[in-house]
């Protein structure tokens, strides 16, 4: 399993972050695999032969199993975040944009683990604060 921080996703994009998490996961495999089956896209920077399969999680039991392992790991991380940030209900919605999650964001604002570039996480009237300051007149 590979994990990429929300700040890393915010500084790039979700695909780049997903590919980095896949590289981390591949590097952690012991022994290294002879070939990789991957869902849809090849992973750059990995020297192991790869077979990208579009809709791989529906067509390959191995890819489907990897997807389940990733989701179980993610759920465990969100359960831990729920204990650290109880106001958000991470243990219930697992980070998805449910009405309860959006309401918690409205009431509490984002926590350190939220992706700040995800549309709606930071209300438009709060970004960017500097541009809303009055300008100084000269002279």
């Amino acid at each position: 399993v590979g994990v990429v921080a929300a700040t890393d996703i915010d500084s790039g994009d979700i695909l780049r972050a997903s590919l980095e998490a896949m590289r981390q996961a591949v590097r952690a495999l012991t022994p290294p695999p002879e070939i990789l089956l991957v869902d849809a896209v090849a992973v750059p920077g990995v020297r192991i032969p790869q077979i990208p399969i579009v809709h791989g999680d529906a067509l390959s039991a191995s890819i489907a199993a990897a997807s389940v392992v990733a989701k179980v790991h993610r759920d465990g991380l969100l359960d831990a975040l729920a204990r650290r940030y109880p106001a958000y209900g991470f243990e219930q919605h697992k980070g998805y944009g449910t009405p309860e999650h959006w309401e918690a964001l409205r009431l509490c604002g984002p926590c350190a683990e939220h992706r700040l570039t995800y549309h709606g996480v930071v209300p438009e009237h709060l970004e960017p604060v500097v541009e809303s300051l009055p300008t100084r007149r000269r002279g």
Side-chain angles (χ1 to χ4, degrees), residues 66-104:
S67 180
V68 169
V69 168
K71 284 175 178 57
V72 168
H73 186 75
R74 183 224 35 220
D75 289 355
L77 293 174
L78 284 159
D79 288 343
L81 281 179
R83 291 187 292 278
R84 188 170 171 196
Y85 303 104
Y88 296 96
F90 288 122
E91 74 283 5
Q92 297 297 318
H93 57 68
K94 303 301 187 208
Y96 287 101
T98 64
E100 295 80 14
H101 191 177
W102 288 114
E103 181 65 5

Short mmCIF file of all heavy atoms in Angstrom, two decimals, residues 66-104:
data_model
loop_
_atom_site.label_atom_id
_atom_site.label_comp_id
_atom_site.label_asym_id
_atom_site.label_seq_id
_atom_site.Cartn_x
_atom_site.Cartn_y
_atom_site.Cartn_z
N ALA A 66 -6.49 -5.88 -5.10
CA ALA A 66 -5.65 -4.73 -4.72
C ALA A 66 -6.52 -3.52 -4.38
O ALA A 66 -6.23 -2.78 -3.44
CB ALA A 66 -4.67 -4.40 -5.84
N SER A 67 -7.60 -3.34 -5.13
CA SER A 67 -8.52 -2.24 -4.86
C SER A 67 -9.18 -2.40 -3.50
O SER A 67 -9.31 -1.43 -2.74
CB SER A 67 -9.58 -2.18 -5.96
OG SER A 67 -10.48 -1.14 -5.74
N VAL A 68 -9.55 -3.62 -3.15
CA VAL A 68 -10.17 -3.88 -1.84
C VAL A 68 -9.15 -3.61 -0.72
O VAL A 68 -9.46 -2.97 0.28
CB VAL A 68 -10.71 -5.31 -1.75
CG1 VAL A 68 -11.11 -5.68 -0.33
CG2 VAL A 68 -11.90 -5.49 -2.70
N VAL A 69 -7.92 -4.09 -0.90
CA VAL A 69 -6.87 -3.85 0.10
C VAL A 69 -6.66 -2.35 0.30
O VAL A 69 -6.58 -1.87 1.44
CB VAL A 69 -5.55 -4.55 -0.31
CG1 VAL A 69 -4.38 -4.08 0.55
CG2 VAL A 69 -5.70 -6.06 -0.22
N ALA A 70 -6.61 -1.59 -0.79
CA ALA A 70 -6.42 -0.14 -0.69
C ALA A 70 -7.58 0.52 0.06
O ALA A 70 -7.37 1.39 0.91
CB ALA A 70 -6.27 0.46 -2.09
N LYS A 71 -8.80 0.10 -0.24
CA LYS A 71 -9.96 0.71 0.42
C LYS A 71 -10.01 0.35 1.91
O LYS A 71 -10.36 1.19 2.75
CB LYS A 71 -11.25 0.30 -0.27
CG LYS A 71 -11.45 1.04 -1.59
CD LYS A 71 -12.67 0.55 -2.34
CE LYS A 71 -12.91 1.32 -3.62
NZ LYS A 71 -11.82 1.32 -4.56
N VAL A 72 -9.66 -0.87 2.26
CA VAL A 72 -9.63 -1.26 3.68
C VAL A 72 -8.57 -0.44 4.42
O VAL A 72 -8.79 0.04 5.53
CB VAL A 72 -9.39 -2.78 3.82
CG1 VAL A 72 -9.06 -3.17 5.25
CG2 VAL A 72 -10.61 -3.55 3.32
N HIS A 73 -7.41 -0.26 3.78
CA HIS A 73 -6.35 0.55 4.39
C HIS A 73 -6.83 2.00 4.56
O HIS A 73 -6.64 2.60 5.62
CB HIS A 73 -5.08 0.50 3.55
CG HIS A 73 -3.93 1.19 4.19
ND1 HIS A 73 -3.22 0.64 5.25
CD2 HIS A 73 -3.36 2.40 3.95
CE1 HIS A 73 -2.28 1.47 5.62
NE2 HIS A 73 -2.35 2.55 4.85
N ARG A 74 -7.43 2.55 3.51
CA ARG A 74 -7.96 3.92 3.59
C ARG A 74 -8.99 4.05 4.72
O ARG A 74 -8.97 5.01 5.48
CB ARG A 74 -8.61 4.30 2.25
CG ARG A 74 -9.12 5.73 2.23
CD ARG A 74 -10.49 5.98 1.65
NE ARG A 74 -11.50 5.00 1.86
CZ ARG A 74 -12.38 4.63 0.93
NH1 ARG A 74 -12.33 5.14 -0.27
NH2 ARG A 74 -13.30 3.74 1.21
N ASP A 75 -9.89 3.06 4.84
CA ASP A 75 -10.90 3.11 5.89
C ASP A 75 -10.25 3.11 7.28
O ASP A 75 -10.70 3.81 8.18
CB ASP A 75 -11.87 1.94 5.76
CG ASP A 75 -12.81 2.08 4.57
OD1 ASP A 75 -12.78 3.13 3.89
OD2 ASP A 75 -13.57 1.12 4.30
N GLY A 76 -9.18 2.35 7.45
CA GLY A 76 -8.46 2.35 8.72
C GLY A 76 -7.84 3.71 9.02
O GLY A 76 -7.88 4.19 10.16
N LEU A 77 -7.28 4.34 7.99
CA LEU A 77 -6.71 5.68 8.17
C LEU A 77 -7.79 6.68 8.56
O LEU A 77 -7.59 7.53 9.43
CB LEU A 77 -6.01 6.15 6.88
CG LEU A 77 -4.75 5.38 6.47
CD1 LEU A 77 -4.26 5.86 5.11
CD2 LEU A 77 -3.65 5.54 7.51
N LEU A 78 -8.97 6.57 7.94
CA LEU A 78 -10.06 7.49 8.25
C LEU A 78 -10.65 7.22 9.62
O LEU A 78 -11.10 8.16 10.30
CB LEU A 78 -11.10 7.47 7.15
CG LEU A 78 -10.61 8.24 5.91
CD1 LEU A 78 -11.35 7.83 4.66
CD2 LEU A 78 -10.72 9.72 6.13
N ASP A 79 -10.65 5.98 10.06
CA ASP A 79 -11.08 5.68 11.44
C ASP A 79 -10.14 6.36 12.44
O ASP A 79 -10.58 6.92 13.45
CB ASP A 79 -11.13 4.18 11.69
CG ASP A 79 -12.29 3.50 10.99
OD1 ASP A 79 -13.24 4.20 10.57
OD2 ASP A 79 -12.24 2.26 10.84
N ALA A 80 -8.83 6.34 12.15
CA ALA A 80 -7.87 7.02 13.02
C ALA A 80 -8.08 8.54 12.98
O ALA A 80 -8.00 9.21 14.01
CB ALA A 80 -6.44 6.66 12.61
N LEU A 81 -8.35 9.07 11.79
CA LEU A 81 -8.63 10.51 11.69
C LEU A 81 -9.90 10.88 12.45
O LEU A 81 -9.98 11.97 13.02
CB LEU A 81 -8.79 10.92 10.22
CG LEU A 81 -7.52 11.11 9.42
CD1 LEU A 81 -7.84 11.49 7.98
CD2 LEU A 81 -6.64 12.17 10.05
N ALA A 82 -10.87 9.98 12.48
CA ALA A 82 -12.12 10.25 13.21
C ALA A 82 -11.84 10.42 14.70
O ALA A 82 -12.49 11.24 15.36
CB ALA A 82 -13.12 9.12 12.97
N ARG A 83 -10.90 9.67 15.22
CA ARG A 83 -10.55 9.82 16.64
C ARG A 83 -9.81 11.14 16.88
O ARG A 83 -9.97 11.78 17.91
CB ARG A 83 -9.72 8.63 17.10
CG ARG A 83 -10.52 7.32 17.16
CD ARG A 83 -9.76 6.17 17.79
NE ARG A 83 -8.64 5.71 16.98
CZ ARG A 83 -8.73 4.87 15.95
NH1 ARG A 83 -9.92 4.41 15.58
NH2 ARG A 83 -7.66 4.49 15.30
N ARG A 84 -9.02 11.56 15.89
CA ARG A 84 -8.25 12.80 16.03
C ARG A 84 -9.12 14.03 15.79
O ARG A 84 -8.93 15.07 16.42
CB ARG A 84 -7.10 12.77 15.03
CG ARG A 84 -6.12 13.88 15.17
CD ARG A 84 -4.91 13.62 14.31
NE ARG A 84 -4.06 14.78 14.27
CZ ARG A 84 -3.11 14.98 13.39
NH1 ARG A 84 -2.87 14.07 12.47
NH2 ARG A 84 -2.39 16.06 13.42
N TYR A 85 -10.07 13.92 14.84
CA TYR A 85 -10.96 15.02 14.47
C TYR A 85 -12.41 14.54 14.54
O TYR A 85 -13.05 14.32 13.50
CB TYR A 85 -10.65 15.51 13.05
CG TYR A 85 -9.23 15.96 12.81
CD1 TYR A 85 -8.34 15.15 12.11
CD2 TYR A 85 -8.80 17.20 13.26
CE1 TYR A 85 -7.03 15.57 11.87
CE2 TYR A 85 -7.50 17.63 13.03
CZ TYR A 85 -6.62 16.81 12.33
OH TYR A 85 -5.34 17.23 12.10
N PRO A 86 -12.96 14.36 15.71
CA PRO A 86 -14.28 13.74 15.84
C PRO A 86 -15.44 14.54 15.23
O PRO A 86 -16.46 13.95 14.87
CB PRO A 86 -14.47 13.59 17.36
CG PRO A 86 -13.49 14.51 17.98
CD PRO A 86 -12.36 14.67 17.01
N ALA A 87 -15.29 15.82 15.05
CA ALA A 87 -16.40 16.65 14.55
C ALA A 87 -16.78 16.33 13.10
O ALA A 87 -17.88 16.64 12.67
CB ALA A 87 -16.03 18.13 14.66
N TYR A 88 -15.88 15.68 12.35
CA TYR A 88 -16.11 15.48 10.92
C TYR A 88 -16.83 14.18 10.56
O TYR A 88 -17.32 14.04 9.45
CB TYR A 88 -14.79 15.57 10.15
CG TYR A 88 -14.16 16.92 10.25
CD1 TYR A 88 -13.19 17.18 11.19
CD2 TYR A 88 -14.57 17.95 9.41
CE1 TYR A 88 -12.62 18.44 11.31
CE2 TYR A 88 -14.01 19.22 9.51
CZ TYR A 88 -13.03 19.45 10.46
OH TYR A 88 -12.48 20.70 10.57
N GLY A 89 -16.86 13.22 11.44
CA GLY A 89 -17.54 11.95 11.14
C GLY A 89 -16.85 11.10 10.10
O GLY A 89 -17.49 10.36 9.35
N PHE A 90 -15.51 11.17 10.04
CA PHE A 90 -14.76 10.40 9.04
C PHE A 90 -15.07 8.90 9.11
O PHE A 90 -15.03 8.21 8.09
CB PHE A 90 -13.26 10.61 9.20
CG PHE A 90 -12.77 11.96 8.76
CD1 PHE A 90 -12.10 12.79 9.66
CD2 PHE A 90 -12.95 12.41 7.47
CE1 PHE A 90 -11.62 14.03 9.26
CE2 PHE A 90 -12.49 13.65 7.06
CZ PHE A 90 -11.83 14.47 7.97
N GLU A 91 -15.36 8.39 10.32
CA GLU A 91 -15.63 6.95 10.46
C GLU A 91 -16.91 6.55 9.74
O GLU A 91 -17.09 5.38 9.39
CB GLU A 91 -15.69 6.55 11.93
CG GLU A 91 -16.94 6.98 12.68
CD GLU A 91 -16.99 8.46 13.08
OE1 GLU A 91 -16.08 9.23 12.72
OE2 GLU A 91 -17.95 8.82 13.77
N GLN A 92 -17.79 7.52 9.47
CA GLN A 92 -19.05 7.22 8.78
C GLN A 92 -18.94 7.39 7.27
O GLN A 92 -19.32 6.50 6.52
CB GLN A 92 -20.17 8.14 9.32
CG GLN A 92 -20.46 7.94 10.78
CD GLN A 92 -20.98 6.53 11.06
OE1 GLN A 92 -21.79 6.01 10.31
NE2 GLN A 92 -20.48 5.92 12.11
N HIS A 93 -18.44 8.53 6.82
CA HIS A 93 -18.47 8.82 5.38
C HIS A 93 -17.18 8.49 4.65
O HIS A 93 -17.14 8.53 3.43
CB HIS A 93 -18.85 10.29 5.14
CG HIS A 93 -17.95 11.27 5.81
ND1 HIS A 93 -16.64 11.46 5.45
CD2 HIS A 93 -18.18 12.12 6.84
CE1 HIS A 93 -16.10 12.39 6.21
NE2 HIS A 93 -17.02 12.81 7.07
N LYS A 94 -16.12 8.16 5.39
CA LYS A 94 -14.83 7.76 4.82
C LYS A 94 -14.27 8.77 3.82
O LYS A 94 -13.60 8.41 2.85
CB LYS A 94 -14.93 6.38 4.15
CG LYS A 94 -15.41 5.28 5.06
CD LYS A 94 -14.51 5.09 6.25
CE LYS A 94 -14.92 3.87 7.05
NZ LYS A 94 -14.58 3.97 8.44
N GLY A 95 -14.56 10.06 4.06
CA GLY A 95 -14.00 11.11 3.23
C GLY A 95 -14.85 11.49 2.03
O GLY A 95 -14.51 12.43 1.31
N TYR A 96 -15.93 10.78 1.78
CA TYR A 96 -16.80 11.13 0.66
C TYR A 96 -17.64 12.36 1.01
O TYR A 96 -17.91 12.63 2.18
CB TYR A 96 -17.71 9.95 0.29
CG TYR A 96 -16.95 8.85 -0.40
CD1 TYR A 96 -16.56 7.71 0.29
CD2 TYR A 96 -16.60 8.96 -1.75
CE1 TYR A 96 -15.85 6.70 -0.34
CE2 TYR A 96 -15.89 7.96 -2.38
CZ TYR A 96 -15.52 6.84 -1.68
OH TYR A 96 -14.81 5.85 -2.29
N GLY A 97 -18.07 13.09 0.01
CA GLY A 97 -18.80 14.33 0.20
C GLY A 97 -20.27 14.13 0.53
O GLY A 97 -21.13 14.56 -0.23
N THR A 98 -20.55 13.51 1.64
CA THR A 98 -21.93 13.33 2.08
C THR A 98 -22.46 14.66 2.62
O THR A 98 -21.68 15.55 2.97
CB THR A 98 -22.02 12.27 3.19
OG1 THR A 98 -21.30 12.76 4.33
CG2 THR A 98 -21.45 10.92 2.75
N PRO A 99 -23.77 14.79 2.73
CA PRO A 99 -24.32 16.02 3.32
C PRO A 99 -23.75 16.28 4.73
O PRO A 99 -23.47 17.43 5.08
CB PRO A 99 -25.83 15.76 3.38
CG PRO A 99 -26.07 14.80 2.25
CD PRO A 99 -24.84 13.93 2.22
N GLU A 100 -23.54 15.22 5.51
CA GLU A 100 -22.99 15.38 6.86
C GLU A 100 -21.55 15.90 6.82
O GLU A 100 -21.17 16.73 7.64
CB GLU A 100 -23.05 14.05 7.62
CG GLU A 100 -24.45 13.53 7.88
CD GLU A 100 -25.10 12.84 6.68
OE1 GLU A 100 -24.40 12.50 5.70
OE2 GLU A 100 -26.33 12.66 6.73
N HIS A 101 -20.78 15.42 5.86
CA HIS A 101 -19.39 15.88 5.74
C HIS A 101 -19.36 17.35 5.34
O HIS A 101 -18.60 18.15 5.90
CB HIS A 101 -18.65 15.02 4.73
CG HIS A 101 -17.17 15.24 4.70
ND1 HIS A 101 -16.34 14.52 3.89
CD2 HIS A 101 -16.35 16.10 5.36
CE1 HIS A 101 -15.09 14.92 4.06
NE2 HIS A 101 -15.08 15.89 4.94
N TRP A 102 -20.18 17.74 4.36
CA TRP A 102 -20.22 19.13 3.93
C TRP A 102 -20.69 20.04 5.07
O TRP A 102 -20.19 21.15 5.23
CB TRP A 102 -21.11 19.31 2.70
CG TRP A 102 -20.46 18.75 1.46
CD1 TRP A 102 -20.88 17.68 0.71
CD2 TRP A 102 -19.26 19.22 0.83
NE1 TRP A 102 -20.02 17.47 -0.33
CE2 TRP A 102 -19.02 18.39 -0.29
CE3 TRP A 102 -18.38 20.25 1.10
CZ2 TRP A 102 -17.93 18.57 -1.14
CZ3 TRP A 102 -17.28 20.43 0.25
CH2 TRP A 102 -17.07 19.59 -0.85
N GLU A 103 -21.64 19.55 5.87
CA GLU A 103 -22.11 20.35 7.00
C GLU A 103 -21.01 20.53 8.04
O GLU A 103 -20.83 21.63 8.58
CB GLU A 103 -23.35 19.69 7.64
CG GLU A 103 -23.92 20.45 8.82
CD GLU A 103 -24.50 21.83 8.47
OE1 GLU A 103 -24.55 22.20 7.29
OE2 GLU A 103 -24.87 22.55 9.42
N ALA A 104 -20.23 19.49 8.30
CA ALA A 104 -19.10 19.61 9.24
C ALA A 104 -18.07 20.60 8.71
O ALA A 104 -17.52 21.40 9.48
CB ALA A 104 -18.47 18.24 9.48
#
